Amino acid sequence: MKRIFTILVTVTMAVYATAQPGIFATHPANNPKGKILTPTASEWESSKLNPTSPAISFVDNRNITYVIDGKRYIMTIKGTVSDYNDYVQPKSNPLMQQLPAGVSDVQSSSNGDIAYSINGSLFYLDKDGITHNVAISESDGIVYGETVSRNEFAIDGGIFWSPDGSKLAFYRKDESKVDLFPLLDINSRTGSLKAIRYPMAGMNSERISLGIYDLQSKTTTYLDVKDFDDDRYLTCITWSPDCSKIYVQVLDRPQDNIHLNYYDTASGKELGQVLTEHNGKWVEPISQLSFVKGSSSEFIYSSDNRDGYKSLYLCNDNGIIKRLTDVDADVEYIGNNGKELFYYSYEVSPVERHLFKTNIKSGKKQQLSQGEGVHTVRFSDDLSSFIDTYSSINNPKSIYYRNSDGTKSTLVFQAENPTQDYAYTELSLGKIKSADGKYDNYYRIIKPLNFNPLKKYPAILYVYGGPHNQMISNSWYGQLRRWEMVMAMKGYVVFVMDNRGTPHRGTEYEKAIHGECGQAEMADQMEGVKMLMNLPYVDSNKIGVHGWSYGGFMTISLMTNYPDIFKVGVAGGPVIDWKWYEVMYGERYMETPQRNPDGFEKTSLINKAKDLKGQLLIIQGGIDNTVVPLHASSFVQECIKNNIPVDYFTYPVSEHNVQGRDRAHLTEKITEYFEKNLR
C-alpha cells in the first residue's frame, strides 16, 4: 500500500539571532523570488494557502476513517491502515427537507423530532412529519425559540431539548420596549428602511423568560425566576440527566452577580440555589454545566471568579465540592468519562493550548497532547481515544490518533507548507512587558521582502485589542492574517500584539479594561510601538495602524491620543462612543452612562476628533447591525465641525463583517490607502 501521508521538511525552531528583545521563535523567509501575494489573492486563494487536512471521523471507539486524494482509509489505534470501501456516510434527518424556508434555529431531539423557529414563532415537526405549534408570537417584538442577549454569554440558539426528547425548553424574548434603529436598504428604486431592535447601553433592554413545553400534554410551563430585575439574563441552560430539573445561571443586568439555580421542569418552581458569585468588574457565564457521567447529582461548573483563572469545579446541588483544575492558568472543559476530566489548558504557555486530563477523585493530572503549539482534539464517544490536530509557527498541521491513557500514538497526516511557492517573508514571535510591568505581552513581527538591515522601512501596527480575541499564538505562522503578509511583501514591517483585556491570561489581565475601554490597551500597544520605533530598520516617522470593530476603536483611539506617532490609519466598523453600543457587551465592560459617566466621557472618540492629525480612512458597512453606522457617521460629522480632514468609505449592502466580492474590494482599498499615504 502506498504511503498515506507526506513528510514536512522540518524547520528548526531557533532563537532569533538579532538584538531585538523578546524573540523566541522565528519562521524563516521563503524564496524571495517566489509568487507575490496580492490583496485579491489573499482573499480568494485560501484553499491554496491554508494547510490541507483529510476529512477524519470515528467509525467506532477504536477506529477512524479518513480521505486522502479521494481515497478512503481506515486506521486502528495501533496504526494498521487498510482501504475502506464499506464506510456509510451518516444520513441527515429526512424531515429537514420539510422545514419551511426562513427558519432561524433548528434543533433535533434524541427521538428525531425537529424544533424550529420562524417569524418569531416556535414549532416542532415530529418523526411522522406532523407539525405542532409550541408558541405563536403575539406581536412584533415577541420572539420564541430564537437566540437572545445578542448572542452574548455563548448563547447561539433558543431551543433546548431534554435528553429523552419528551420536553422542549425555549427562550421567550420580549424586546417590544427596545428602541428601533433604522438601516437603509438600497435594493429598491426608492430605498427602504429596515428597522432593527438595538438596545443601547443604559437604555431599555429585552426581557427574557424560559418556557418548558411537554410534548405529551402539549402544555407549557414558564420558570418562576425571581432573582434581580426583569431585564436579567438567563444563560447556560442545562437539563439534568433524568430530565426532572433544569439549571439556569441567572445574571443581573449590571453583570456583577450570578445565581446558579435549579427548577422543577413540571411546575417551573425553583427547587434550590447551588451557588452565587459576585465580581465588582463583571461576571461572564459562558459554559453549561456538564454532569459527571453516570451521576445525576454531580456536575462540572466553570468560573473565573474564585481563583483568578478560568477553572473547573466539581459541584452538586448543595454547592462546590472542590476545584478540579488547580493551576494558575485558564482552562476549558472538553468532557468526562465518570472517572477522568478532560480539558484544554494554557499552563504550558499563554500562546499554546494543550490537552490534559485529571482524575476526579485523586486529582492526579496528565498532559495528553504532545508537540508544541495549539491543539484541537476530537474524542471518540467513550473518550477512550482522540484525534489530535495541532500546529506551531513552523508546523503547518500534524494529525495524530492517540489513546486517552497516553500509551498509543499514531501519525495520521502531516501537512506540507502550502506557502512554499510564495515569497513569504521572515516572521518572528516575541514578548515584551505590559505597561504596568506585570505581564509579558506576546507579539509577531514580519520583516519586509528582500529585507536589508541597513534600510529604513515604514511599519504598520495591526490591532484588535478587545475581549475574547487572542491575536498571537504558537500556531502556523503565529496565527498570521494574510493581509499582513501582503503588506510585508510590499515593503512594510508589520507588527501585531495582544494586550491586557485579551483572553487566556487570567482574570486580572483580562479585566484590567473595566470601565475605561481602550486605556490599558493603548498603554500596552504603545510599549510595543516604542520597541518597534527603536528598531534600526524601522522608519519612526512612518508608522501606520489598522484594525476592525474593537480594532477600529483602537485605531482611532491611538491616532487621536498619539497624533504625533501615527501618520496613517484605517479603521473598520469602529466603536466611537460606548453609549451607542449594545447593552450586553457594552455594559459588561463599561457599565452604563448613568453609573460610569467619567468612563464614557474619557473613552468617547467624539471628544478626540479635534486631535486627529494623520491620514485616517474610516470604513463602514451600510447595514451593520453590530456597530451601527451612527458611530462612524458621528465621528465624521465631528471632524467636519472641527475642520479636520478625514476619509470615509461605505459598503452599502454589507453588515459588520464585509464578505464575498466586497471583501476583496475592501482588502484592495485598505492596501491602496497605506501605499498612497505611508510611503
Side-chain angles (χ1 to χ4, degrees), residues 324-344:
L324 296 174
T325 52
D326 188 10
V327 61
D328 288 345
D330 285 350
V331 304
E332 302 168 12
Y333 175 84
I334 299 177
N336 78 86
N337 59 13
K339 296 181 179 179
E340 297 166 314
L341 170 71
F342 297 87
Y343 60 95
Y344 290 128

Side-chain angles (χ1 to χ4, degrees), residues 437-501:
K438 293 182 178 180
Y439 306 97
D440 288 327
N441 286 336
Y442 289 79
Y443 67 84
R444 65 175 171 267
I445 189 168
I446 314 173
K447 286 185 175 180
L449 186 65
N450 298 314
F451 174 70
N452 181 348
L454 300 180
K455 286 183 63 176
K456 292 278 190 179
Y457 295 93
I460 297 173
L461 166 67
Y462 179 78
V463 62
Y464 180 75
H468 297 162
N469 198 338
Q470 183 178 23
M471 300 295 294
I472 310 299
S473 65
N474 186 12
S475 55
W476 177 233
Y477 266 113
Q479 207 171 313
L480 170 77
R481 298 172 68 256
R482 278 191 292 274
W483 178 80
E484 298 166 34
M485 190 57 69
V486 169
M487 301 311 288
M489 289 181 180
K490 287 183 175 294
Y492 297 86
V493 175
V494 182
F495 182 80
V496 186
M497 187 181 75
D498 285 322
N499 49 244
R500 283 172 293 163

Side-chain angles (χ1 to χ4, degrees), residues 141-354:
I142 306 295
V143 179
Y144 295 92
E146 295 184 10
T147 190
V148 300
S149 305
R150 295 185 62 82
N151 297 100
E152 291 298 318
F153 319 111
I155 297 171
D156 60 2
I159 298 171
F160 313 91
W161 283 103
S162 64
D164 64 3
S166 67
K167 294 180 179 180
L168 178 65
F170 59 90
Y171 282 127
R172 180 185 188 271
K173 175 171 62 176
D174 181 353
E175 53 182 357
S176 57
K177 293 183 180 180
V178 174
D179 289 294
L180 296 170
F181 188 91
L183 297 173
L184 177 62
D185 182 355
I186 66 167
N187 292 309
S188 65
R189 181 176 179 182
T190 58
S192 61
L193 292 178
K194 176 185 177 183
I196 62 169
R197 296 191 182 275
Y198 191 91
M200 291 185 180
M203 299 180 69
N204 288 332
S205 189
E206 59 194 37
R207 267 61 171 169
I208 306 302
S209 52
L210 192 76
I212 299 178
Y213 179 79
D214 187 298
L215 273 64
Q216 184 174 6
S217 66
K218 301 186 184 306
T219 59
T220 296
T221 300
Y222 283 90
L223 300 190
D224 185 19
V225 182
K226 298 177 180 178
D227 313 58
F228 314 124
D229 295 328
D230 290 343
D231 49 4
R232 61 199 160 222
Y233 303 102
L234 307 180
T235 72
C236 307
I237 311 303
T238 307
W239 285 90
S240 65
D242 63 5
C243 306
S244 66
K245 296 178 289 187
I246 196 163
Y247 294 75
V248 181
Q249 295 182 43
V250 185
L251 180 67
D252 63 353
R253 176 164 168 175
Q255 301 184 48
D256 292 335
N257 299 282
I258 188 171
H259 295 169
L260 174 54
N261 300 337
Y262 55 103
Y263 301 83
D264 179 72
T265 59
S267 67
K269 294 187 179 300
E270 181 182 327
L271 297 175
Q273 188 173 92
V274 178
L275 54 83
T276 65
E277 300 220 359
H278 170 79
N279 190 300
K281 292 185 176 179
W282 70 76
V283 181
E284 186 183 8
I286 58 173
S287 301
Q288 290 182 308
L289 308 181
S290 298
F291 276 81
V292 175
K293 186 176 181 180
S295 174
S296 292
S297 60
E298 292 187 335
F299 50 85
I300 311 300
Y301 171 71
S302 176
S303 173
D304 68 353
N305 288 299
R306 295 176 176 269
D307 294 285
Y309 295 89
K310 291 183 174 69
S311 301
L312 301 175
Y313 301 86
L314 180 65
C315 300
N316 59 24
D317 288 350
N318 296 318
I320 289 179
I321 299 173
K322 66 177 178 178
R323 185 185 183 192
L324 296 174
T325 52
D326 188 10
V327 61
D328 288 345
D330 285 350
V331 304
E332 302 168 12
Y333 175 84
I334 299 177
N336 78 86
N337 59 13
K339 296 181 179 179
E340 297 166 314
L341 170 71
F342 297 87
Y343 60 95
Y344 290 128
S345 176
Y346 293 87
E347 62 193 78
V348 173
S349 167
V351 294
E352 295 193 14
R353 183 174 71 184
H354 287 273

Side-chain angles (χ1 to χ4, degrees), residues 484-542:
E484 298 166 34
M485 190 57 69
V486 169
M487 301 311 288
M489 289 181 180
K490 287 183 175 294
Y492 297 86
V493 175
V494 182
F495 182 80
V496 186
M497 187 181 75
D498 285 322
N499 49 244
R500 283 172 293 163
T502 56
H504 310 319
R505 303 292 303 277
T507 55
E508 184 180 355
Y509 185 87
E510 190 170 352
K511 297 184 180 183
I513 69 174
H514 180 255
E516 293 187 346
C517 284
Q519 305 309 301
E521 300 94 304
M522 280 193 291
D524 280 2
Q525 290 291 332
M526 288 309 297
E527 291 299 307
V529 171
K530 290 174 189 175
M531 181 202 73
L532 187 68
M533 294 172 67
N534 285 328
L535 295 177
Y537 54 85
V538 169
D539 187 342
S540 60
N541 294 314
K542 294 183 178 180

Side-chain angles (χ1 to χ4, degrees), residues 107 166 239 311 429 538 580 640 646:
Q107 296 292 332
S166 67
W239 285 90
S311 301
L429 300 182
V538 169
W580 294 324
I640 295 169
V646 66

